């Protein structure tokens, strides 16, 4: 008897439906075809034990299982449950009547309990698109999948719950969640509030500008000046995510298996990989490609602490994602694209010793050592960072001041207002949402300079020997400064402040 059960494979952040055909015939044997990996090939042992421990058994006949399309490689242990259901239906141990109306996925333990899977949200979206009535999966994944409306999502703990459902012995209520409650949670970063930061008013101003326009930013200063502390507080002033952004972010984290009991991710992610990270861990990839840190930071912040300590080849692979806001991983047989629209926040010491340009500390590092240290960061990479800021140590008087500074909530209101101006400006564009994403054509359209501003920028370009890309970065930052001031026109005040945020272009930093 032939039975078809439906599962799914996830490639990139999208799912593809897999038809699991199970045929029981005369003879003895267990044949699994359709490019399964080792985890799927080993499923027969898990399935046999799980069924036996729940009162069922593998038929002593010839079992042939085909996973179609046969030329698409399948991986992972999430096919245990659909294969088990298919074998029982094909051997007449359960009714096969309505099985083909449901998507079924789950890894089986030897006692029949279900383990969580990756990519549950992507699979649920695909199941709804293809008109399936419902989706069975582990109870641990049910909240993320239940974000998708229009399809019944069944969270189960044991294979027996699924078998009893198809046998009509019991009913399972589909999981329902209130999307409004999940999405409109209050933005709360109690541990990281700018109200706790003493001094550093100019640095907080630069981070407000970066948040308002989605600009990449690098903080340069000696150890203990507060670079990491400031970076960790940046997500608290970013505007709330839209529903579209929340779904995109949740899909990526679901594919990577980073979602536990949570449903929709409503807070912007903050990722901080160690400087020993490899290029693959940063951009994604591997034998079975998974999203890397830059994709897990999608719609959020990627913080690279001690930037020169990262291997140069690791940093260079970020150049394309920073420009295109997506990363493409190519292999001989497939190509996968992961979204990676993130804010890069980097920090670094100005020299190996950490105290170059600090008037209160002796210089113990030679010019050659400093140049070698700074040369780990290429010019093209720095050109893609809009804002360069020097962070000085906080004086004792400021540290001892008990007065609270402006809170993250207050700063976020101004940032959100500036983002609304940008959303209205780019309302006709599908791919541009804030100033940092502007193309050259849009820069020319929305960053028109008067004579005094043009003269000021020309002088800065000549004295600092800035590149054409740096010229565009200055205009983008100036546009954001104007938006924070609710100014339609760019003025020399906005341009002069934007020029100040190119510290690493000035003579004495990079040669």
């Amino acid at each position: 008897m032939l039975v078809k059960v439906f599962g799914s494979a996830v490639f990139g952040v999208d799912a593809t439906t897999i038809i699991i055909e199970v045929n029981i015939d005369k003879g003895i044997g267990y044949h699994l075809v359709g490019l399964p990996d080792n985890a799927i090939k080993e499923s027969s042992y898990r399935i046999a034990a799980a069924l036996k421990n729940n009162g069922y058994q593998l038929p002593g006949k010839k079992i042939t299982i085909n996973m179609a399309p046969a030329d698409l490689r399948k991986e992972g242990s999430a096919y245990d449950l659909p294969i088990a259901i298919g074998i029982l239906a094909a051997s007449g141990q359960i009714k096969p009547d309505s099985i083909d109306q449901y998507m079924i996925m789950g890894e089986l333990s030897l006692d029949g309990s279900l383990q969580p899977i990756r990519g549950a949200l992507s699979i649920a979206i695909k199941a709804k698109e293809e008109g399936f009535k419902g989706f069975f999966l582990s109870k641990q994944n049910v909240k993320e999948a239940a974000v998708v409306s229009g399809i019944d999502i069944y969270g189960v703990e044991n294979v027996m719950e699924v078998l009893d459902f198809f046998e009509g012995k019991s009913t399972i209520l589909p999981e329902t969640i209130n999307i409004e409650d999940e999405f409109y949670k209050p933005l709360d970063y109690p541990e990281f509030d700018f109200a706790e930061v003493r001094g550093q008013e100019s640095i907080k101003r630069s981070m407000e500008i970066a948040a308002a326009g989605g600009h990449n930013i690098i903080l340069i200063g000696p150890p203990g000046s507060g670079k990491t502390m400031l970076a960790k507080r940046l997500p608290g002033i970013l505007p709330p995510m839209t529903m579209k952004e929340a779904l995109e972010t949740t899909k990526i984290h679901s594919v990577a298996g980073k979602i536990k009991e949570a449903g929709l991710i409503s807070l912007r992610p903050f990722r901080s990989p160690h400087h020993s990270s490899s290029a693959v861990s940063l951009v994604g990839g591997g034998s079975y490609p998974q999203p890397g840190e830059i994709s897990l930071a999608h719609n959020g912040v990627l913080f690279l602490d001690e930037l020169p300590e990262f291997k140069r080849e690791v940093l260079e692979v970020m150049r394309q994602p920073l420009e295109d806001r997506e990363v493409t991983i190519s292999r001989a047989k497939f190509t996968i694209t992961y979204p990676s629209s993130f804010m890069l926040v980097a920090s670094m010491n100005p020299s190996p010793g950490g105290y170059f340009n600090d008037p209160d500390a002796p210089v113990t590092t030679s010019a050659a050592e400093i140049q070698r240290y700074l040369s780990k960061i290429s010019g093209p990479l720095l050109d893609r960072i809009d804002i360069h800021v020097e962070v000085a140590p906080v004086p004792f008087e400021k540290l001892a001041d008990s007065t609270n500074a402006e809170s993250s909530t207050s700063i976020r209101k101004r940032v959100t207002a500036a983002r609304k101006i940008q959303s209205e400006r780019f309302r006709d564009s599908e791919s541009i949402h804030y100033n940092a994403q502007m193309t050259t054509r849009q820069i020319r359209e929305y960053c028109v300079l008067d004579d005094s501003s043009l003269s000021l920028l020309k002088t800065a370009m000549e004295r600092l020997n800035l590149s054409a890309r740096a010229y565009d970065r200055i205009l983008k930052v100036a546009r954001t400064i104007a938006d924070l001031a609710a100014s339609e026109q760019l003025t020399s005040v906005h341009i002069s402040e934007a020029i100040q945020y190119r510290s690493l272009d000035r003579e004495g930093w990079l040669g």
Side-chain angles (χ1 to χ4, degrees), residues 484-499:
L484 282 168
S487 172
E488 184 70 24
Q489 299 296 324
L490 288 184
T491 68
S492 57
V493 174
H494 306 139
I495 293 294
S496 62
E497 184 176 0
I499 292 171

Side-chain angles (χ1 to χ4, degrees), residues 116-222:
I117 63 173
R118 294 184 177 188
L121 177 57
S122 298
I123 296 172
I125 292 172
K126 187 65 174 180
K128 178 189 175 182
E129 289 176 355
E130 299 202 348
F132 285 95
K133 186 177 180 180
F135 176 24
F136 284 91
L137 75 169
S138 168
K139 204 158 192 173
Q140 297 177 59
N141 294 118
V142 71
K143 283 193 174 180
E144 62 178 281
V147 168
V148 182
S149 59
I151 182 173
D152 292 335
I153 306 296
Y154 299 97
V156 293
E157 294 182 347
N158 189 282
V159 65
M160 283 302 299
E161 296 180 42
V162 185
L163 298 178
D164 289 345
F165 176 87
F166 287 120
E167 285 287 277
K169 296 178 181 179
S170 67
T171 58
I172 305 174
L173 294 178
E175 181 76 12
T176 57
I177 64 172
N178 190 321
I179 297 296
E180 298 297 317
D181 289 345
E182 287 287 321
F183 181 63
Y184 293 107
K185 291 177 181 176
L187 293 175
D188 190 14
Y189 298 88
E191 297 179 9
F192 305 108
D193 196 305
F194 272 109
E196 302 165 350
V197 180
R198 305 288 185 265
Q200 306 289 24
E201 300 305 323
S202 62
I203 314 303
K204 286 188 279 187
R205 165 66 176 173
S206 67
M207 300 196 82
E208 178 181 339
I209 294 168
H215 302 288
N216 302 321
I217 182 172
I218 184 169
L219 308 175
I220 313 105

Side-chain angles (χ1 to χ4, degrees), residues 86-101:
I87 290 173
L88 293 179
S91 61
Q93 297 181 66
I94 64 170
K95 298 174 184 177
D97 303 343
S98 60
I99 289 176
D100 59 358
Q101 299 176 27

Side-chain angles (χ1 to χ4, degrees), residues 275-412:
H275 61 74
S276 61
S277 300
S278 66
V280 171
S281 69
L282 201 62
V283 302
S287 301
Y288 301 122
Q290 291 292 312
E293 290 290 340
I294 64 173
S295 294
L296 293 172
H298 182 61
N299 292 321
V301 174
L302 177 71
F303 176 47
L304 301 184
D305 199 7
E306 302 299 339
L307 189 66
E309 299 298 334
F310 283 80
K311 296 177 182 177
R312 184 172 178 125
E313 60 268 21
V314 172
L315 295 178
E316 291 305 299
V317 298
M318 289 203 310
R319 285 164 53 179
Q320 179 253 338
L322 279 170
E323 200 73 21
D324 300 339
R325 299 190 179 273
E326 62 180 22
V327 57
T328 300
I329 300 168
S330 298
R331 297 292 183 266
K333 295 184 179 180
F334 59 83
T335 298
I336 290 176
T337 298
Y338 292 113
S340 59
S341 180
F342 59 90
M343 269 187 68
L344 174 63
V345 180
S347 72
M348 60 178 285
N349 295 327
S351 66
Y355 296 98
F356 177 66
N357 273 13
D358 185 350
D360 298 323
V363 177
T364 58
T365 310
S366 69
E369 289 175 316
I370 293 173
Q371 185 60 36
R372 193 182 308 115
Y373 176 76
L374 296 176
S375 65
K376 294 181 180 180
I377 309 170
S378 69
L381 178 62
L382 282 176
D383 271 348
R384 288 168 169 83
I385 300 177
D386 301 351
I387 299 176
H388 308 163
V389 186
E390 294 180 55
V391 183
V394 181
F396 175 80
E397 292 75 16
K398 291 284 187 179
L399 288 174
D401 187 357
S402 59
T403 305
N404 275 349
E406 188 176 21
S407 69
S408 292
T409 301
S410 177
I411 299 173
R412 185 169 63 239

